[in-house]
Amino acid sequence: GGGKNGGFVDDTLFKRLQLEEKELNGKTEMITPNQVEGSFASKIKQKAMGEYLSNVASTFLQYRDTMQYGSIDSIRVPFVEEAKKALQRASNEERTIFKQARKQQSQQSTATKNNTKSTTTNNLPLLPKSYVLATILLAIKGDHTSVPLPFGIVRQRDMVRALGRIVTDATVDDCLVGAELLMIPNVSAANIGGDGGGDGGDGSGDGGYGGLTEGDMLKSFPELVPLT
């Protein structure tokens, strides 16, 4: 399943996510070379992934009041290997969309800078509201997280409910198969899915913590619906 949300926030969100990524990297870097291929190392990675994903979802929950758009989608497959393949396909598709959206964002940011070069502090133009967009992709055993809500995401409390399930289920032993976080702005290049190679970016840059305009966000992600 995957969830998206757009909202207006300060850079505290990004700093928290960067800290959580740093903690994840610290845990996985403790694995010694002779443990890398063993089941012990696999359990360490799985536990670290689950804690990271749970913390990320928990952090997003703290910004529930800023969530203005959202969507959710999921599929059910009978075997873990099929879930891994489905996650990889979804990851590849989503990264392509994010890459295009980041390029659009970079062009918009450059145009805005060019338009404001000659302005003074007493005559600043009104800039469009900037939106943060996040996608959580995950493959997880069981039905609690993978089964979509009956009517999808239509209210803020639907998004809160979906994120709350991730907070809880991601840390259940032997439950999380793989996951990935994609964001605009590109706060992190970490991939916690294991096989996908991560959201490595595309070289276009995000211009600091700049987000997407509402129009660009809805053009790139038409499945988003306003949250009531």
Side-chain angles (χ1 to χ4, degrees):
K4 296 187 182 70
N5 58 275
F8 189 72
V9 299
D10 57 29
D11 63 0
T12 304
L13 168 64
F14 313 124
K15 292 177 180 178
R16 289 180 179 177
L17 293 175
Q18 288 169 341
L19 179 61
E20 287 156 5
E21 179 192 358
K22 184 177 180 180
E23 292 177 352
L24 169 67
N25 292 337
K27 292 174 182 177
T28 55
E29 287 170 0
M30 292 175 62
I31 300 174
T32 61
N34 64 327
Q35 294 175 332
V36 170
E37 300 300 330
S39 60
F40 179 69
S42 178
K43 290 181 179 180
I44 292 177
K45 290 180 179 179
Q46 185 185 53
K47 181 176 176 61
M49 285 192 297
E51 290 175 349
Y52 172 79
L53 186 62
S54 178
N55 290 340
V56 166
S58 180
T59 295
F60 285 142
L61 280 174
Q62 296 177 41
Y63 292 84
R64 68 189 70 186
D65 293 336
T66 70
M67 296 178 183
Q68 299 181 25
Y69 292 89
S71 71
I72 190 169
D73 189 21
S74 71
I75 60 172
R76 296 181 65 180
V77 294
F79 304 109
V80 170
E81 288 304 316
E82 289 185 30
K84 290 180 179 179
K85 292 178 181 178
L87 177 64
Q88 185 62 62
R89 286 194 298 269
S91 174
N92 292 338
E93 293 172 0
E94 200 72 3
R95 286 185 209 167
T96 299
I97 298 172
F98 266 74
K99 182 176 181 178
Q100 295 171 345
R102 289 197 182 105
K103 186 177 294 185
Q104 178 67 31
Q105 177 219 20
S106 179
Q107 294 170 350
Q108 178 68 32
S109 177
T110 300
T112 301
K113 289 178 182 177
N114 290 337
N115 289 337
T116 58
K117 275 183 179 178
S118 61
T119 62
T120 67
T121 55
N122 295 324
N123 186 31
L124 291 177
L126 290 176
L127 299 179
K129 183 185 291 186
S130 179
Y131 285 78
V132 173
L133 190 130
T135 292
I136 296 176
L137 299 170
L138 67 147
I140 196 165
K141 299 177 184 177
D143 291 335
H144 294 296
T145 300
S146 59
V147 173
L149 301 173
F151 302 103
I153 297 290
V154 295
R155 299 165 296 186
Q156 281 187 345
R157 63 183 181 182
D158 295 331
M159 185 64 73
V160 169
R161 180 184 173 192
L163 288 171
R165 286 178 170 181
I166 295 174
V167 170
T168 302
D169 295 343
T171 57
V172 176
D173 287 344
D174 196 34
C175 189
L176 184 67
V177 176
E180 185 171 358
L181 170 66
L182 299 171
M183 283 191 65
I184 295 177
N186 189 12
V187 176
S188 169
N191 170 32
I192 58 173
D195 301 320
D199 177 24
D202 50 54
S204 61
D206 286 324
Y209 285 142
L212 291 171
T213 64
E214 185 173 33
D216 287 342
M217 179 182 68
L218 295 177
K219 180 179 179 181
S220 297
F221 303 92
E223 68 272 26
L224 290 171
V225 297
L227 300 179
T228 56

